[in-house]
Each structure stands twice: as C-alpha cells, then as structure tokens.
C-alpha cells in the first residue's frame, strides 16, 4: 500500500545545513509483484458472464499485468535542469457538452497540485498541470467551411493532444479524460510512449480490459454500478419489469448493457430499452413507449439535467414508476431543477457525500473557497486521483515506468472521498453507495453487488449438484405486453406455413374442421404459405399474411418453419401451433409458441384454433391465454411453456 503523501518543503535560501532534505525518488518501488484477485471486479457468482455453464471470459483479468519493458532503465533527469514537474490534463474544458464536468475535474486536480506545491512540490520544484481540451475543433473552417459538424466524437483531438503532451510538453503522466473514446485513444498512445494515464471520470469497463499496464482509475466502472443497481432493484425491492432510458452516446451504450446483462442473469430481462440523441429535451415519446410496456421501474443512464427533465415529464404523463440511475444522474443540480419531483429518486454513487469526516469537510471548504461552489463527483474524485499520482511521482522519482510501478502497487487508498480498493488492473472496485433523494436532500447508504443471505440460501444448489444455467418455465411463461385488438369474427384467417402448405390446406379433413367452426356468423379461412421456394420469398409471403391479411394465428408444419414463425409471432403477438419434435422451440420462454409432435396432422391444429377461438373469442392474446391455461382444447392440454401435457 502506498505511504501517505510525502512532498518536501522548499529548501531554505541559506548556507545552513538542511534538516529535512527531500526524499522524493530516494526509495523507488520495485517492479510490481504478481498477485491474483478473484472474482474479477468482485462480481457476484450469479452475475458473472457464462459462469453457470462455462468459465467466465473475464477470468483473464484476475492476475497482475506485469510490465517487462526497458523504461525503468532510463536515467532520471538532473533536477537542476528542470524548472517544473509537468503533468498533462486532457478533458472537455471548452466547446463541449461535458465542458462543465471537465472544468470541475480540472478544478479538483488543480487544487491537489496547488496544495502539493504549497508543501514544497517535488524537491522544491513545483508541479505544473498542462491542460488540453479534449476537443480542439481540428476541422478547420478554412478547409471544411461553416457546415462541417463540430462534434466531440472526432478522435483526432484526443490523439493530437496526447502527442503534444508527450513529445512537446514532455509530461510525466497524463490525467483524463471523461470521454471513454478519448481515454482509449490516449491509452494506446501511452502504450507507445510508455506513460502513465490516471483517470477519475471514465466508467467504460473495457478501458482496463485492454490489458495495457499504464492505466489507473479511482472510479468504479459501469459494471460495478450496474450490478449494484440490479441487486438493489431485483433482490431488495423485488421489482420484475424494468425499462432502460439512456442517452445514445458511448457513455449510454457501454453502461446500459451491463445492467441488461445483470438483469438477464438474475432472471428479469429488461422489458424495453429506449434511447435518445444528445441534446434531446422532450422525452415524451420514449416515456410513452415505456408506459405501454407496463414497466415497474426505469433505469436512467444520462446526466442530472436530463434526469430532471425526465422526472418532470413523467409527472405530466401520470407515470408512477420508480426511477433509478447511474452515478451521473444525481446531485444538487438534480434537486435544484426537479424540486419535489426528485423525491424518492435513487442512484448509485462512488462515495458518501453527506458524511462528517474531517478530511472530507476540509476538502469541501477548501474547494468552495477556491472555486465558489460545492465539489461534486467529478471534482472530488479528480482530487483524490491526482493526489495518488503526486504520491507516486514522489515515491518513484522522475521515471515513468517506476511511476507506473508505484501506481500499480496502490492496493488500498484512503482519500477524501473514502476508502478505496484496487484490483490487479489498478481500478477501484470498492463497494458503492445508494444515493436517495429524501425530503429535498440526498442521503447515502452502503450498497453491495452480492446477494443477501436469504437470497443465497434460496437459490443455492443442493450439495453435490450444479446449479442450472437457466430456468425454463419453472415460474410459468406469461405474456405481459400491450393488449391485442379483436379480429373480425366474420373474417378470421390462419396462416399455414411450411413444406407443401398449399396441399395440406386442401385435404378433406381440414375442410371438415373448417366447416364445423364456420357457423353462427363466424368464418375461418386458411392462407397457405409454402416453404418449398427460396426462404426470402416464403418469409415475405408470411409477413404479408401477418400484416396485410391480418391472421389471428399460425400453424407451422416442420422444424425450420416453426422457428421462423416463432420469431415473427414474438414481434406480431400471434399464437403459433408448431408441428415439430424440436423442444428447443419451447425452451426460451417465448409465450406464443405451442408445440405438437411432428406427425400431428393439420386438421388437429385447425381444430385447436377453432376450439380456442370459440371459447376465448376472436382475439390472438386471448387465444394464446386459452392455450396456456392448461384446459383441454380439442383433446390437447398445454403447459405454460407451450409443451403438450403428458400423455399426448
């Protein structure tokens, strides 16, 4: 573990002996020792990818990434030849949507540098922060004109600025950025230049998984955030139907899948995901779609300003769902903009911002006195990360590889934001907090990714057995989507799809089954869609039968046609009778598929549809519910999974 901050005092201007000479660089660290940390990122067993039937891929990251290059052998520069110790800063500090966050991150880092310099800097030499904007608008007007879009997503900026910092400014490390795109680019440049990269704001879990050893971050990534949220939502609150609403940029694209995967592994797949482009202020269309999905909760992956607007528009639409968010969704700005409508909103957060710890309180007062505002997560985490970097420079001396060695051996750290624990990839994996708006203020409590004891006992496998990797129908397969409209009873149609479908619908037995149903104002016809031709043509005909002819259901005649019909039924909300022996059709919890053995004749399937319509009415959803009810229909009973009950 890294020792506390040791930065020397400025040497006195006199001929008297110096009582406390500078010790920076006098005891450089040895190369990082190999160590192993399992499980990766402290992942709970029930949320590890593939862990229930294969070794998780992320086990590749549990051991130390040892650097074996030659950069440690480079000689330290003569201190007398230096006027300052430069540290690069790359962040969105001008003409960028994240400019406010970038400036706060810069403020937190600068405060740490200023305080270190007040204590003497590096052996009397001041640390100097060299700020560079993460977007420099390199699309020059003279070349592209006024119509060229000036978007921060252009990667040229990050690579250009990193090269400038490394080779022109000759920095000893680079701090940044918020954008994970820029951080990825910067990290690859650092691999070539052999330069430490310290981060406090990018949550993309794939950054350290590049296995480049020059990276250090004190912010828990999207995986830790999403897993913590999932545990709270599904295990503590017992919600089952959750939607995602997120910004369509890399922050949203890489954060929300972590929550979706955790939800699926816990047995509650996300019911709907809605996304919106940056700059959106009207979220009503997305919210109405979520409202129609009958979701019980909504997870947001965006910033405080969008969160406040979403909460207001939910109120206008009469939506009562519980709302949760990532660490960028909550703070004083949310309360200021949303007011009482923020009450009850919950989000994960990296630390307890309400605690009374003296170091935390002093940092708050120092920051507020300097920058005339309270520090938030970008400023606070930057302050801690910069202090770790300054400590490492002091310990290692002016050698970039040894600075990296020092950073890599920070196993734990007590910063102003609290206690941190770092894994073998030098990323903070300490447990997060749940922040909740209550009575106009934000309160915090520790949170865990791990299951509660009662949940562990409930889901544990019996001794000597292995837990199944999936649950298929044990809890019943249900349809929970929007209501389906009734069909016209005088013009009901069923699609018959498969090999020689045109011949199958012409049999005398099928005609007899249709005649038995077509009484009392009801009329049912069959639309044959042969699958003997090219699949593209057949599938187009089936789609036309569904959307143009308005069929109330489908009969699939073999395995291949059943799988295609099942996928279309899932989209179109139509029941399917599949004449196939492939039980994989009913093993994926799709509520619209009902299987009969492959030697079942078409007449039997027609009679099943006829009986179900006669009892439930001319409505595809109600026909599906009749099939799934377990009642006998035309001599057949189905499980909720769609499998026929034995004996059949």
């Amino acid at each position: 573990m890294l020792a506390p901050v040791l930065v020397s005092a400025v040497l006195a201007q006199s001929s008297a002996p110096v009582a406390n000479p500078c010790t920076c660089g006098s005891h450089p660290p040895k190369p990082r020792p190999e160590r192993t940390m399992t499980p990766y990122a402290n992942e709970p067993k029930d949320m590890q990818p593939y862990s229930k039937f294969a070794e998780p891929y992320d086990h590749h990251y549990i051991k130390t990434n040892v650097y074996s290059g030659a950069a440690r052998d480079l000689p330290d520069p003569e201190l007398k030849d230096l006027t300052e110790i430069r540290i690069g800063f790359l962040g969105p500090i001008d003409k960028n949507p994240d400019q406010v966050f970038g400036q706060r991150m810069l403020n937190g880092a600068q405060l740490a540098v200023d305080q270190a310099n007040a204590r003497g800097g590096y052996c009397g030499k001041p640390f100097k922060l060299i700020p560079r904007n993460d977007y420099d608008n390199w699309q020059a007007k003279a070349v592209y004109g006024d119509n060229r879009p000036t978007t921060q997503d252009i990667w040229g900026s990050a690579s250009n600025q990193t090269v400038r910092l490394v080779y022109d400014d000759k920095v000893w490390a680079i701090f940044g950025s918020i954008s994970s795109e820029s951080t990825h680019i910067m990290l690859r440049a650092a691999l070539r230049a052999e330069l430490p990269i310290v981060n406090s704001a990018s949550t993309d879990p794939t950054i350290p998984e590049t296995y480049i050893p020059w990276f250090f971050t004190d912010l828990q990534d999207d995986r830790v955030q999403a897993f913590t949220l999932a545990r709270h939502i599904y295990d503590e609150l017992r919600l089952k139907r959750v939607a995602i609403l997120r910004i369509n940029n890399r922050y949203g694209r890489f954060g929300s899948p972590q929550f979706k995967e955790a939800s699926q592994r816990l047995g509650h797949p996300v019911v709907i995901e809605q996304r919106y482009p940056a700059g959106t202020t009207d979220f009503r269309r997305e919210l109405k779609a979520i409202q129609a999905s009958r979701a019980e909760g909504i997870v947001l992956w965006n910033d405080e300003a969008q969160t406040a607007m979403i909460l207001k528009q939910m109120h206008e639409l009469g939506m009562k769902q519980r709302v949760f968010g990532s660490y960028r969704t909550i703070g004083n700005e949310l309360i200021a903009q949303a007011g009482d409508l923020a009450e009850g909103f919950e989000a994960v957060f990296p630390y307890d911002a309400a605690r009374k710890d003296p170091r935390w309180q002093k940092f708050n007062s120092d920051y507020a006195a300097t920058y005339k505002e309270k520090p938030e997560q970008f400023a606070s985490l930057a302050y801690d990360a910069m202090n770790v970097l300054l400590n490492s420079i002091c310990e290692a001396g002016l050698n970039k590889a040894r600075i990296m060695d020092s950073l890599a051996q920070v196993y734990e750290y007590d910063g102003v934001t609290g206690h941190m624990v770092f894994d073998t990839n030098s990323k903070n994996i300490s447990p997060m907090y749940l922040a909740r708006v209550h009575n106009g203020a934000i309160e915090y409590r520790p949170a865990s990714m791990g299951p509660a004891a009662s949940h562990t006992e409930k889901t544990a496998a019996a001794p000597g057995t292995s837990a199944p990797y999936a649950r298929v129908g044990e809890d019943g397969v249900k349809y929970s989507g929007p209501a389906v409209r009734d069909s016209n009873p005088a013009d009901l149609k069923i699609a018959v799809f498969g090999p020689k479908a045109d011949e199958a619908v012409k049999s005398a037995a099928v005609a007899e089954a249709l005649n038995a149903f077509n009484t009392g104002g009801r009329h049912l016809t069959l639309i044959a869609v042969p699958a003997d031709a090219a699949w593209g043509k057949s599938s187009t005909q089936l789609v036309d039968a569904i959307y143009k002819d308005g069929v109330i259901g489908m009969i699939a005649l073999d395995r291949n046609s059943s799988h295609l019909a099942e996928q279309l039924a899932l989209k179109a909300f139509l029941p399917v009778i599949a004449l196939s022996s492939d039980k994989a059709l009913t093993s994926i919890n799709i509520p619209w598929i009902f299987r009969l053995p492959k030697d079942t004749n078409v007449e039997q399937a027609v009679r099943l549809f006829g009986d179900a319509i006669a009892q439930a009415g001319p409505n595809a959803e109600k026909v599906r519910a009749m099939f799934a009810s377990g009642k006998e229909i035309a001599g057949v009973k189905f499980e909720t999974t769609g499998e026929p009950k034995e004996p059949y």
Side-chain angles (χ1 to χ4, degrees):
M1 178 176 172
L2 193 65
V5 179
L6 292 173
V7 184
S8 68
V10 179
L11 299 179
Q13 301 264 339
S14 72
S15 59
V18 179
N20 295 303
C22 173
T23 60
C24 287
S26 59
H27 301 288
K30 295 180 179 179
R32 64 182 74 177
E34 292 191 36
R35 63 183 182 128
T36 300
M37 289 187 69
T38 57
Y40 175 61
N42 280 342
E43 291 174 329
K45 182 71 175 178
D46 56 350
M47 284 194 275
Q48 290 179 9
Y50 314 116
S51 63
K52 295 177 182 176
F53 58 96
E55 182 179 9
Y57 66 86
D58 55 23
H59 282 187
H60 296 297
Y61 307 119
I62 63 177
K63 294 184 178 180
T64 303
N65 183 9
V66 177
Y67 169 74
S68 54
R72 298 184 184 93
D73 299 330
L74 294 175
D76 288 15
E78 291 289 337
L79 194 59
K80 62 182 177 61
D81 296 333
L82 299 175
T83 58
E84 57 198 13
I85 311 302
R86 296 180 177 180
I87 299 171
F89 178 96
L90 182 66
I93 53 178
D94 184 42
K95 297 179 181 177
N96 191 297
D98 288 339
Q99 178 177 336
V100 172
F101 306 140
Q103 187 60 55
R104 289 168 178 167
M105 185 172 75
L106 176 59
N107 292 345
Q110 186 65 59
L111 181 61
V113 168
D114 291 344
Q115 291 177 349
N117 287 337
R119 295 189 296 267
Y122 183 95
C123 295
K125 304 290 184 177
F127 292 105
K128 175 69 177 296
L129 206 55
I130 309 295
R132 298 290 182 209
N133 188 30
D134 195 3
Y135 176 65
D136 65 358
N137 194 15
W138 60 267
Q139 309 100 316
K141 181 183 293 187
V143 177
Y144 298 108
D146 291 326
N147 295 326
R148 178 73 175 185
T150 55
T151 169
Q152 79 277 10
D153 296 329
I154 301 299
W155 284 9
S157 168
S159 56
N160 289 346
Q161 298 290 28
T162 302
V163 169
R164 287 180 61 192
L165 287 168
V166 173
Y167 296 105
D168 295 343
D169 299 315
K170 302 186 184 308
V171 299
W172 295 99
I174 298 180
F175 194 100
S177 176
I178 294 176
S179 160
S180 64
E181 295 105 319
S182 299
T183 307
H184 266 291
I185 292 295
M186 184 164 47
L187 194 58
R188 282 153 177 79
L191 179 63
R192 173 65 181 84
E194 298 186 310
L195 182 84
I197 302 296
V198 174
N199 188 274
S200 66
S202 182
T203 56
D204 180 352
T206 68
I207 294 173
E209 290 171 6
T210 56
Y211 222 46
I212 293 174
W214 298 90
F215 185 72
F216 178 95
T217 180
D218 70 343
L219 173 60
Q220 300 94 327
D221 65 21
D222 288 327
R223 178 183 289 103
V224 178
Q225 294 187 41
F227 286 11
T228 303
L229 267 182
R231 186 67 71 194
H232 174 57
I233 291 170
Y234 298 119
D235 283 6
E236 293 183 1
L237 301 179
R238 301 293 182 184
L239 301 186
K240 296 181 179 179
R241 298 181 56 78
V242 177
I244 291 177
L245 178 56
R246 55 96 167 170
I247 189 169
N248 194 23
N249 60 12
R250 190 179 177 98
Y251 176 62
R253 286 196 303 273
F254 274 67
S256 58
Q258 299 296 328
F259 181 80
K260 289 168 66 177
E261 291 171 11
S263 301
Q264 192 162 1
R265 291 169 195 148
L266 292 178
H268 303 290
V270 168
V271 296
I272 189 172
E273 177 183 1
Q274 293 289 291
R275 62 200 73 169
Y276 60 87
T280 298
T281 58
D282 187 347
F283 307 91
R284 292 174 182 84
R285 183 185 66 82
E286 292 83 3
L287 289 172
K288 288 177 181 177
I290 291 173
Q291 191 174 30
S293 75
R294 299 194 289 117
E296 302 168 290
I298 304 174
V299 170
L300 306 180
W301 224 270
N302 45 241
D303 293 320
E304 291 178 61
Q306 292 85 35
T307 301
M309 288 186 278
I310 288 168
L311 293 175
K312 291 178 181 178
Q313 290 169 25
M314 284 182 64
H315 178 71
E316 294 173 10
L317 295 172
M319 298 177 67
K320 304 295 184 183
Q321 287 86 350
R322 297 191 68 159
V323 189
F324 312 88
S326 61
Y327 90 110
R328 288 172 61 163
T329 60
I330 196 164
N332 294 328
E333 183 179 350
L334 171 68
I335 296 176
Q337 293 188 22
D340 293 342
L341 298 181
E343 187 71 14
F345 176 77
E346 293 181 284
V348 285
F349 207 74
Y351 53 89
D352 179 359
R355 70 188 190 286
K356 304 301 181 183
D357 176 76
R359 289 184 64 208
W360 172 245
Q361 295 295 321
K362 185 177 187 308
F363 164 68
N364 274 258
S365 61
D366 289 346
Y367 185 92
T370 305
Y371 298 109
K372 312 306 178 187
E373 66 176 4
K374 293 181 179 180
E376 39 68 270
Q377 53 266 51
F378 287 97
S380 303
L381 291 166
Y383 178 85
D384 271 344
M386 180 56 76
N387 272 317
V388 173
L389 175 58
L390 296 174
N391 294 348
S392 291
I393 294 174
C394 183
E395 181 186 46
L398 298 179
N399 179 285
K400 297 167 187 175
R402 292 199 298 268
I403 294 171
M404 175 197 63
D405 286 336
S406 179
L407 289 168
Q409 293 175 69
V410 180
Y411 301 155
E412 297 185 41
Y413 183 76
D414 290 309
V416 297
T417 58
H419 185 69
M420 303 177 190
V421 178
F422 296 87
D423 69 1
T424 55
N425 296 290
S426 294
K427 65 176 180 178
N428 183 10
I429 57 170
S430 57
M432 301 198 75
Y433 287 80
L434 274 172
R436 181 172 75 104
V437 179
H438 181 62
N439 291 333
I442 302 174
E443 52 187 31
Y444 303 82
R445 69 172 179 84
S448 172
M449 293 189 295
S454 59
H455 179 74
T456 304
E457 294 165 4
K458 179 179 177 182
T459 59
T465 66
S466 60
Y469 75 87
R471 295 177 63 81
V472 183
E474 291 89 340
D475 302 320
V477 180
K478 300 177 181 178
Y479 169 69
S480 303
V484 177
R485 292 184 298 178
D486 287 354
S487 299
N488 181 0
D491 187 24
L492 300 171
K493 301 181 182 72
I494 294 174
V496 180
F497 177 53
K500 296 182 172 56
D502 49 350
E503 297 177 14
V505 300
K506 295 177 182 178
S507 72
V510 169
E512 183 180 343
L514 288 172
N515 290 334
F517 177 83
N518 291 337
T519 60
R522 299 180 311 200
H523 189 265
L524 176 64
T525 57
L526 304 180
I527 297 177
V529 182
D532 308 275
W535 268 96
K537 181 178 179 181
S538 299
S539 59
T540 299
Q541 290 175 346
L542 185 58
V543 169
D544 286 344
I546 292 171
Y547 292 104
K548 292 183 179 180
D549 297 315
V551 297
I552 195 173
M554 290 183 277
I555 299 171
L557 301 181
D558 68 351
R559 177 184 180 275
N560 291 340
S561 57
S562 296
H563 275 283
L564 179 58
E566 180 178 36
Q567 300 305 312
L568 292 173
L570 182 62
K571 174 74 172 109
F573 306 136
L574 292 174
V576 176
I577 301 294
L579 309 185
S580 169
S581 296
D582 184 2
K583 293 186 178 181
L585 289 162
T586 57
S587 67
I588 50 179
N589 291 5
I590 289 179
W592 297 97
I593 191 81
F594 298 89
R595 191 189 66 81
L596 291 175
K598 63 180 180 180
D599 55 357
T600 305
N601 56 47
V602 177
E603 174 213 349
Q604 177 66 53
V606 173
R607 291 190 185 277
L608 271 170
F609 266 113
D611 267 18
I613 294 171
Q615 295 183 58
N619 181 286
E621 179 187 353
K622 293 177 181 178
V623 169
R624 187 220 72 85
M626 180 59 65
F627 286 152
S629 68
K631 297 178 181 179
E632 183 172 319
I633 306 167
V636 180
K637 295 180 181 179
F638 289 104
E639 304 283 357
T640 61
T641 59
E643 279 293 293
K645 287 189 175 183
E646 297 295 341
Y648 175 74

